[in-house]
Amino acid sequence: KQEVTQIPAALSVPEGENLVLNCSFTDSAIYNLQWFRQDPGKGLTSLLLIQSSQREQTSGRLNASLDKSSGRSTLYIAASQPGDSATYLCAVRPNSGGSNYKLTFGKGTLLTVNP
Amino acid sequence: GAGVSQSPRYKVTKRGQDVALRCDPISGHVSLYWYRQALGQGPEFLTYFNYEAQQDKSGLPNDRFSAERPEGSISTLTIQRTEQRDSAMYRCASSSTGTSRGEQYFGPGTRLTVT
């Protein structure tokens, strides 16, 4: 059974700092990995989706990397801003089997960026 | 265009009552998913529809939970005889393709509280 772990569970940083969120997964047979942002009262917003054949994806100040063989992904946020404060979730999609639509999520990292 | 919508956004009910949660997917999306997210956890898969067919209900916790999508669009998740342990955020997602690999877009969720 796939297990996804996110470290740290919570992180508080001053504005302007660069930071890294970590995600690890136990089964490397994944189709893709996705990073989501969760804001209170809102849905999950997809930030970056990395296919299993890719090593990284970038969007603005965000960069996500994937090392499928070691079961790890990182989300790098450059020059953090208070508006980045949210919970960040990592989710993997399996590559094999009849249930390859099921996303398995980690518990998330609660990020607080202080002005 | 409009995203996935869910109603009600918040529901407080007394133990033993039945509740119905509604999901309106993105127009034209053929696949629909329900997830449940407990406080401090990531979303967990409940069930999956392709058009009106319920393809997978393996994540439904017990027979008090059921879901339908009779016309292949709007879906309803029903919980009978609610219990306090059913309190959670219920999230719906939809995807565009008829295959299981379409990217899932999430709605804002319904926060269910059973007192």
Side-chain angles (χ1 to χ4, degrees):
Chain A
K1 178 185 174 184
Q2 178 74 271
E3 293 183 2
V4 179
T5 303
Q6 291 189 244
I7 295 174
L11 181 63
S12 181
V13 301
E15 181 177 4
E17 195 161 292
N18 303 325
L19 58 98
V20 174
L21 307 181
N22 296 289
C23 172
S24 62
F25 46 95
T26 55
D27 186 350
S28 62
I30 65 168
Y31 182 72
N32 60 38
L33 181 144
Q34 205 163 354
W35 283 93
F36 290 88
R37 171 181 172 141
Q38 176 178 299
D39 294 281
K42 298 184 180 179
L44 302 180
T45 302
S46 179
L47 297 173
L48 290 165
L49 185 152
I50 312 176
Q51 301 294 348
S52 61
S53 58
Q54 297 176 318
R55 296 286 292 183
E56 65 178 305
Q57 281 282 353
T58 298
S59 176
R61 296 182 293 107
L62 305 180
N63 176 279
S65 67
L66 174 64
D67 184 342
K68 195 176 72 165
S69 61
S70 68
R72 294 180 181 178
S73 175
T74 61
L75 178 66
Y76 175 81
I77 303 177
S80 58
Q81 303 170 357
D84 295 330
S85 298
T87 297
Y88 290 80
L89 293 165
C90 167
V92 298
R93 186 168 213 167
N95 190 40
S96 59
S99 58
N100 54 6
Y101 42 80
K102 291 182 184 178
L103 300 182
T104 300
F105 286 83
K107 293 182 179 181
T109 294
L110 176 61
L111 173 65
T112 303
V113 181
N114 301 300
Chain B
V4 177
S5 61
Q6 293 186 243
S7 61
R9 295 290 307 277
Y10 303 91
K11 177 70 176 178
V12 180
T13 190
K14 292 185 177 180
R15 183 169 56 89
Q17 296 294 307
D18 298 351
V19 295
L21 311 180
R22 172 182 166 136
C23 172
D24 200 340
I26 294 172
S27 179
H29 277 195
V30 301
S31 295
L32 186 146
Y33 314 82
W34 284 97
Y35 290 81
R36 179 169 71 170
Q37 185 175 14
L39 201 61
Q41 305 292 316
E44 293 185 344
F45 172 83
L46 293 177
T47 187
Y48 158 57
F49 290 85
N50 194 39
Y51 294 96
E52 72 281 359
Q54 190 173 22
Q55 302 282 12
D56 185 344
K57 56 181 181 179
S58 63
L60 297 178
N62 51 61
D63 60 8
R64 295 186 297 105
F65 288 72
S66 63
E68 63 175 7
R69 194 186 184 199
E71 298 179 358
S73 179
I74 293 169
S75 176
T76 302
L77 177 69
T78 301
I79 309 173
Q80 296 179 314
R81 305 180 302 282
T82 53
E83 301 177 5
Q84 286 189 324
R85 59 178 172 158
D86 300 334
S87 296
M89 176 73 82
Y90 289 83
R91 296 194 182 275
C92 173
S94 68
S95 62
S96 61
T97 70
T99 72
S100 56
R101 297 194 181 278
E103 184 173 351
Q104 296 176 25
Y105 296 86
F106 283 81
T110 294
R111 169 73 68 188
L112 175 65
T113 302
V114 182
T115 61

Coordinates of all heavy atoms in Angstrom, one line a residue, chain A residues 31-32 34 36 38 41-44 46 49 89 93-96 99-107, chain B residues 9-10 33 35 37 40-45 48 55-56 58 91 100-104 106-109:
Chain A
Y31 N 2.5 7.2 -11.6 CA 2.3 7.8 -12.9 C 2.7 9.2 -12.9 O 3.3 9.8 -13.8 CB 0.8 7.6 -13.3 CG 0.5 8.2 -14.6 CD1 0.9 7.5 -15.8 CD2 -0.3 9.3 -14.8 CE1 0.6 8.0 -17.0 CE2 -0.6 9.8 -16.0 CZ -0.2 9.2 -17.1 OH -0.5 9.7 -18.4
N32 N 2.3 9.9 -11.8 CA 2.7 11.3 -11.6 C 2.7 11.7 -10.1 O 2.1 10.9 -9.3 CB 1.9 12.3 -12.5 CG 0.4 12.3 -12.2 OD1 0.0 12.1 -11.0 ND2 -0.4 12.4 -13.2
Q34 N 1.8 15.2 -7.7 CA 1.2 16.5 -7.8 C 1.4 17.2 -6.4 O 1.2 16.6 -5.4 CB -0.3 16.4 -8.1 CG -0.9 17.5 -8.8 CD -2.2 17.1 -9.4 OE1 -2.6 16.0 -9.5 NE2 -2.9 18.1 -10.0
F36 N -0.3 20.3 -4.2 CA -1.5 21.1 -4.1 C -1.3 22.1 -3.0 O -0.6 21.9 -2.0 CB -2.7 20.2 -3.7 CG -3.2 19.3 -4.8 CD1 -2.7 18.0 -4.9 CD2 -4.3 19.7 -5.6 CE1 -3.2 17.2 -5.8 CE2 -4.8 18.8 -6.6 CZ -4.2 17.6 -6.7
Q38 N -3.7 24.1 -0.2 CA -5.0 24.1 0.5 C -5.2 25.3 1.4 O -4.4 25.6 2.3 CB -5.2 22.8 1.3 CG -6.5 22.7 2.1 CD -6.5 21.4 2.9 OE1 -6.5 20.4 2.3 NE2 -6.6 21.5 4.2
G41 N -11.5 27.0 3.7 CA -12.7 27.4 3.0 C -12.6 27.3 1.5 O -13.6 27.7 0.8
K42 N -11.5 26.9 1.0 CA -11.4 26.8 -0.5 C -11.0 25.4 -0.9 O -10.7 24.5 0.0 CB -10.3 27.8 -1.0 CG -10.7 29.2 -0.8 CD -9.6 30.1 -1.4 CE -10.0 31.6 -1.1 NZ -9.0 32.5 -1.7
G43 N -11.0 25.1 -2.1 CA -10.7 23.8 -2.6 C -9.2 23.6 -2.6 O -8.4 24.4 -2.2
L44 N -8.8 22.4 -3.2 CA -7.4 22.2 -3.4 C -7.0 22.8 -4.7 O -7.6 22.5 -5.7 CB -7.1 20.7 -3.4 CG -7.5 19.9 -2.1 CD1 -7.2 18.4 -2.3 CD2 -6.8 20.5 -0.9
S46 N -4.2 22.9 -7.6 CA -3.0 22.3 -8.1 C -1.9 23.3 -8.4 O -2.2 24.3 -9.1 CB -3.4 21.5 -9.4 OG -2.2 20.8 -9.9
L49 N 2.4 19.6 -11.4 CA 2.2 18.2 -11.6 C 3.4 17.7 -12.4 O 3.8 18.3 -13.4 CB 0.9 17.9 -12.5 CG 0.5 16.5 -12.7 CD1 -1.0 16.3 -12.9 CD2 1.2 15.9 -13.9
L89 N 0.0 20.1 0.1 CA -0.2 18.7 0.1 C 0.5 18.1 -1.1 O 0.5 18.7 -2.2 CB -1.7 18.4 0.0 CG -2.6 18.7 1.2 CD1 -4.0 18.7 0.8 CD2 -2.3 17.8 2.3
R93 N 0.0 9.4 -7.9 CA -1.0 8.6 -8.6 C -0.3 7.3 -9.1 O 0.8 7.4 -9.7 CB -1.5 9.4 -9.9 CG -2.5 8.7 -10.6 CD -3.1 9.7 -11.6 NE -4.5 9.4 -11.8 CZ -5.4 10.3 -12.4 NH1 -4.9 11.4 -12.8 NH2 -6.6 9.9 -12.6
P94 N -0.9 6.2 -8.8 CA -0.2 4.9 -9.2 C -0.1 4.7 -10.7 O -1.0 5.2 -11.4 CB -1.0 3.9 -8.5 CG -2.4 4.5 -8.3 CD -2.2 5.9 -8.2
N95 N 0.9 4.0 -11.1 CA 1.1 3.7 -12.5 C 0.4 2.4 -12.9 O 0.2 2.2 -14.1 CB 2.6 3.7 -12.8 CG 2.8 3.6 -14.3 OD1 2.2 4.3 -15.1 ND2 3.8 2.9 -14.7
S96 N 0.2 1.5 -12.0 CA -0.2 0.2 -12.4 C -1.5 -0.2 -11.6 O -1.9 0.5 -10.7 CB 0.9 -0.8 -12.0 OG 1.2 -0.7 -10.7
S99 N -6.7 0.6 -10.4 CA -7.2 1.7 -9.6 C -6.2 2.9 -9.8 O -5.9 3.6 -8.8 CB -7.4 1.4 -8.2 OG -6.2 0.9 -7.6
N100 N -5.7 3.1 -11.0 CA -4.7 4.2 -11.2 C -5.3 5.6 -11.2 O -4.7 6.5 -11.7 CB -3.9 3.9 -12.4 CG -4.7 3.7 -13.6 OD1 -5.9 3.9 -13.6 ND2 -4.1 3.3 -14.7
Y101 N -6.5 5.7 -10.8 CA -7.1 7.1 -10.6 C -7.1 7.5 -9.2 O -7.4 8.7 -8.9 CB -8.6 7.0 -11.1 CG -9.3 5.8 -10.6 CD1 -9.8 5.7 -9.3 CD2 -9.4 4.7 -11.5 CE1 -10.4 4.5 -8.9 CE2 -10.0 3.5 -11.0 CZ -10.5 3.5 -9.7 OH -11.1 2.3 -9.3
K102 N -6.7 6.6 -8.3 CA -6.8 7.0 -6.9 C -5.5 7.8 -6.5 O -4.4 7.3 -6.6 CB -6.8 5.8 -6.0 CG -8.1 5.0 -6.0 CD -8.0 3.8 -5.1 CE -9.2 2.9 -5.1 NZ -9.1 1.7 -4.2
L103 N -5.7 9.0 -6.1 CA -4.6 9.8 -5.5 C -4.4 9.4 -4.1 O -5.3 9.3 -3.3 CB -4.9 11.3 -5.6 CG -5.2 11.9 -7.0 CD1 -5.4 13.4 -7.0 CD2 -4.0 11.6 -7.9
T104 N -3.1 9.3 -3.7 CA -2.8 9.1 -2.3 C -2.0 10.3 -1.8 O -1.0 10.7 -2.4 CB -1.9 7.8 -2.1 OG1 -2.5 6.7 -2.6 CG2 -1.5 7.6 -0.7
F105 N -2.6 10.9 -0.8 CA -2.1 12.2 -0.3 C -1.2 12.0 1.0 O -1.5 11.1 1.8 CB -3.3 13.1 0.1 CG -4.0 13.7 -1.1 CD1 -5.0 13.0 -1.7 CD2 -3.7 15.0 -1.5 CE1 -5.7 13.6 -2.8 CE2 -4.4 15.6 -2.6 CZ -5.4 14.9 -3.2
G106 N -0.3 12.9 1.2 CA 0.3 13.1 2.4 C -0.6 13.9 3.4 O -1.6 14.4 3.0
K107 N -0.1 14.1 4.6 CA -0.9 14.9 5.6 C -0.7 16.4 5.4 O -1.4 17.1 6.0 CB -0.5 14.5 7.0 CG -0.9 13.0 7.3 CD -0.5 12.7 8.8 CE -0.9 11.3 9.1 NZ -0.6 11.0 10.6
Chain B
R9 N -21.9 24.1 1.7 CA -20.5 24.3 2.1 C -20.2 23.8 3.5 O -19.1 23.3 3.8 CB -20.1 25.7 1.9 CG -20.1 26.2 0.5 CD -19.0 25.6 -0.4 NE -17.7 25.8 0.2 CZ -17.0 26.9 0.1 NH1 -17.4 27.9 -0.6 NH2 -15.8 26.9 0.7
Y10 N -21.2 24.0 4.4 CA -21.1 23.6 5.7 C -22.4 22.9 6.1 O -23.5 23.4 5.7 CB -20.9 24.8 6.7 CG -19.7 25.6 6.3 CD1 -19.7 26.6 5.5 CD2 -18.4 25.2 6.9 CE1 -18.6 27.4 5.1 CE2 -17.3 26.0 6.6 CZ -17.4 27.0 5.7 OH -16.3 27.7 5.4
Y33 N -15.0 12.0 -8.7 CA -14.4 11.4 -7.5 C -14.9 12.0 -6.2 O -15.0 13.2 -6.2 CB -12.9 11.5 -7.6 CG -12.3 11.2 -8.9 CD1 -12.2 12.2 -9.9 CD2 -11.7 9.9 -9.2 CE1 -11.7 11.9 -11.1 CE2 -11.2 9.7 -10.5 CZ -11.2 10.7 -11.4 OH -10.6 10.4 -12.7
Y35 N -13.7 12.3 -2.1 CA -12.6 12.0 -1.1 C -13.1 12.5 0.2 O -14.0 13.4 0.3 CB -11.3 12.8 -1.5 CG -10.6 12.3 -2.7 CD1 -11.0 12.6 -4.0 CD2 -9.5 11.5 -2.5 CE1 -10.3 12.2 -5.1 CE2 -8.7 11.0 -3.6 CZ -9.2 11.4 -4.9 OH -8.4 10.9 -6.0
Q37 N -11.6 14.0 4.0 CA -10.4 14.6 4.6 C -10.7 14.9 6.1 O -11.5 15.8 6.4 CB -9.9 15.8 3.9 CG -8.6 16.4 4.4 CD -8.1 17.5 3.6 OE1 -8.8 18.1 2.8 NE2 -6.8 17.9 3.8
G40 N -6.4 17.5 9.9 CA -4.9 17.2 10.0 C -4.4 16.0 9.1 O -3.3 15.6 9.3
Q41 N -5.3 15.6 8.3 CA -5.0 14.5 7.4 C -5.1 14.9 5.9 O -5.7 16.0 5.6 CB -5.9 13.3 7.6 CG -5.9 12.8 9.0 CD -4.6 12.1 9.5 OE1 -4.0 11.4 8.7 NE2 -4.2 12.5 10.7
G42 N -4.5 14.1 5.0 CA -4.8 14.4 3.6 C -6.1 13.7 3.2 O -6.6 12.8 3.9
P43 N -6.6 14.1 2.0 CA -7.8 13.5 1.5 C -7.6 12.0 1.3 O -6.5 11.6 0.8 CB -8.1 14.2 0.2 CG -7.4 15.5 0.4 CD -6.2 15.2 1.2
E44 N -8.7 11.2 1.5 CA -8.6 9.8 1.2 C -9.8 9.4 0.3 O -10.9 9.9 0.4 CB -8.8 9.0 2.5 CG -7.6 9.1 3.4 CD -7.7 8.2 4.7 OE1 -8.8 7.7 4.9 OE2 -6.7 8.0 5.3
F45 N -9.5 8.6 -0.7 CA -10.4 8.2 -1.8 C -11.6 7.5 -1.2 O -11.5 6.6 -0.3 CB -9.7 7.3 -2.7 CG -10.6 6.7 -3.8 CD1 -10.9 7.4 -4.9 CD2 -11.1 5.4 -3.6 CE1 -11.7 6.8 -5.9 CE2 -11.9 4.8 -4.5 CZ -12.2 5.5 -5.7
Y48 N -15.5 6.5 -7.2 CA -15.2 7.0 -8.5 C -16.3 6.7 -9.5 O -16.7 5.5 -9.5 CB -13.8 6.5 -9.0 CG -13.6 6.4 -10.4 CD1 -13.6 7.6 -11.2 CD2 -13.2 5.2 -11.1 CE1 -13.3 7.6 -12.5 CE2 -12.9 5.2 -12.4 CZ -13.0 6.4 -13.2 OH -12.7 6.4 -14.5
Q55 N -17.6 3.1 -10.8 CA -16.6 2.1 -11.1 C -15.9 1.6 -9.9 O -15.4 0.5 -10.0 CB -15.6 2.8 -12.1 CG -16.1 3.4 -13.4 CD -16.4 2.3 -14.4 OE1 -16.4 1.1 -14.1 NE2 -16.7 2.8 -15.6
D56 N -15.9 2.3 -8.9 CA -15.1 1.9 -7.7 C -15.7 2.5 -6.5 O -15.8 3.8 -6.4 CB -13.6 2.3 -7.9 CG -12.7 1.8 -6.7 OD1 -13.2 1.4 -5.7 OD2 -11.5 1.8 -6.9
S58 N -14.7 1.2 -3.4 CA -13.9 0.5 -2.4 C -13.5 1.4 -1.2 O -13.2 0.8 -0.1 CB -12.6 0.0 -3.0 OG -11.8 1.0 -3.5
R91 N -14.7 16.1 -0.1 CA -14.2 16.8 -1.3 C -14.6 16.0 -2.5 O -14.5 14.8 -2.6 CB -12.7 16.9 -1.2 CG -12.2 17.8 -0.1 CD -10.8 18.3 -0.3 NE -10.3 19.1 0.8 CZ -10.4 20.4 0.9 NH1 -11.1 21.0 -0.1 NH2 -9.9 21.1 1.9
S100 N -8.7 7.0 -16.9 CA -8.5 7.3 -15.5 C -7.3 8.2 -15.3 O -7.0 8.5 -14.1 CB -8.3 5.9 -14.8 OG -7.2 5.3 -15.4
R101 N -6.7 8.7 -16.3 CA -5.4 9.5 -16.1 C -5.6 11.0 -16.2 O -4.7 11.7 -16.1 CB -4.4 9.0 -17.1 CG -4.0 7.6 -16.9 CD -2.7 7.2 -17.6 NE -2.4 5.9 -17.5 CZ -1.7 5.3 -16.5 NH1 -1.4 6.1 -15.5 NH2 -1.4 4.1 -16.5
G102 N -6.9 11.4 -16.3 CA -7.1 12.9 -16.4 C -6.8 13.5 -15.1 O -7.1 13.0 -14.0
E103 N -6.3 14.8 -15.1 CA -6.0 15.5 -14.0 C -7.3 15.8 -13.2 O -8.3 16.2 -13.8 CB -5.2 16.8 -14.3 CG -4.8 17.6 -13.1 CD -3.9 18.8 -13.4 OE1 -3.5 18.9 -14.6 OE2 -3.7 19.6 -12.5
Q104 N -7.2 15.7 -11.9 CA -8.4 15.9 -11.1 C -8.5 17.3 -10.6 O -7.5 17.8 -10.1 CB -8.5 14.9 -10.0 CG -8.6 13.5 -10.4 CD -8.5 12.4 -9.3 OE1 -8.8 12.7 -8.2 NE2 -8.1 11.2 -9.7
F106 N -10.4 19.9 -8.0 CA -11.2 19.7 -6.7 C -12.1 20.9 -6.5 O -11.8 22.0 -6.8 CB -10.2 19.6 -5.5 CG -9.6 18.2 -5.4 CD1 -8.5 17.9 -6.2 CD2 -10.1 17.3 -4.6 CE1 -8.0 16.6 -6.1 CE2 -9.6 16.0 -4.5 CZ -8.5 15.7 -5.3
G107 N -13.2 20.6 -5.8 CA -14.2 21.6 -5.4 C -13.8 22.1 -4.0 O -12.8 21.6 -3.4
P108 N -14.6 23.1 -3.5 CA -14.2 23.7 -2.2 C -14.5 22.8 -1.0 O -14.0 23.0 0.1 CB -15.1 24.9 -2.1 CG -16.3 24.5 -3.0 CD -15.7 23.7 -4.1
G109 N -15.3 21.7 -1.2 CA -15.6 20.8 -0.1 C -16.8 21.1 0.7 O -17.3 22.3 0.7

